[in-house]
Amino acid sequence: MDLNADVGQSFGSWTTGGDPAMFQLATSVNVACGLHAGDPVTMLDSCRAAYELDVTVGAHLGYRDLAGYGQRSLGMSFDELFGDVLYQLGALDGVAHAVGASVDYVKLHGALYDTTIHDAEQASAVVAAVNAYDPGLPFLGLPGSELLKQAKEAGHPVFVEAFADRAYLADGTLVPLSEENAVLHDVDAVVERAIRLATQGEVVAADGTVVALRPDSLRLQGGSPAAVETAARIRAGLEAAGVGLESFA
């Protein structure tokens, strides 16, 4: 099982905590590429740390929205989104290359992640841009999403992730963050869900329905001491259950 985490989201004098610990806990890291978060120095530090610890680097692509941290949906044209995806990929790939690392997959961030679950046009812009840059680059995303559907049709390897700390609906989608109880805060319950996802390929939805999921990766939340502690508990729980941990890419 792969464990992925978002890193490299500091910007200038504004820093996020948790990255040093997350590099020790994750097997794959989603590095912000400078449009929703991150800057050249942070990208360089992130790629260097991943390379030194043999952690796989993924490009964490988002909307051009530093002020909103990429959490606001933008009505971008095909060409605008195509260009922004290429810009981010090229930037991170160049930085990674300079320290001996490489960009081995892509994962979307925030509102772009959510939009491309259903929006065929924006999904097509993302897939077209990634395909133009590297037709063999894998995608990591939500099962059943428009993004992964189009990526697979274009010939890209696709991998699916699951969230141990998020509530699920009976159809296998996530409970929107705007709704109450969308995020689970009981660490013991989160660890138990992670182990069940990894060993049985299923999760219990908010209405009690058992939903079949076969994730290639589990998302680790970071950015705060509490989140890092939960991530450490998840990793320890999986190892104790005999789950081998390695990057999907």
Side-chain angles (χ1 to χ4, degrees), residues 2-3 18 20 33 36 54 88 98 113 122 137 146 202 213:
D2 174 69
L3 299 175
C33 301
H36 77 270
D54 196 25
Q88 293 175 83
Y113 186 104
Q122 291 213 359
L137 200 58
E146 185 67 31
E202 61 185 28
L213 291 175

Side-chain angles (χ1 to χ4, degrees), residues 21-57:
M22 296 311 296
F23 282 109
Q24 301 283 342
L25 296 170
T27 52
S28 300
V29 287
N30 318 308
V31 181
C33 301
L35 291 193
H36 77 270
D39 56 43
V41 173
T42 302
M43 292 160 64
L44 185 63
D45 289 343
S46 298
C47 289
R48 184 181 290 118
Y51 178 73
E52 291 174 350
L53 294 169
D54 196 25
V55 176
T56 300
V57 172

Side-chain angles (χ1 to χ4, degrees), residues 61-120:
L61 311 173
Y63 285 125
R64 185 186 293 270
D65 182 27
L66 282 172
Y69 187 52
Q71 298 291 353
R72 300 180 292 190
S73 184
L74 301 182
M76 303 181 73
S77 71
F78 183 98
D79 285 347
E80 287 174 324
L81 187 53
F82 182 95
D84 277 4
V85 168
L86 281 179
Y87 180 90
Q88 293 175 83
L89 271 174
L92 185 65
D93 194 39
V95 170
H97 178 77
V99 298
S102 59
V103 173
D104 293 329
Y105 69 95
V106 298
K107 178 186 168 180
L108 305 190
H109 166 81
L112 185 57
Y113 186 104
D114 293 339
T115 298
T116 55
I117 292 173
H118 303 294
D119 191 314

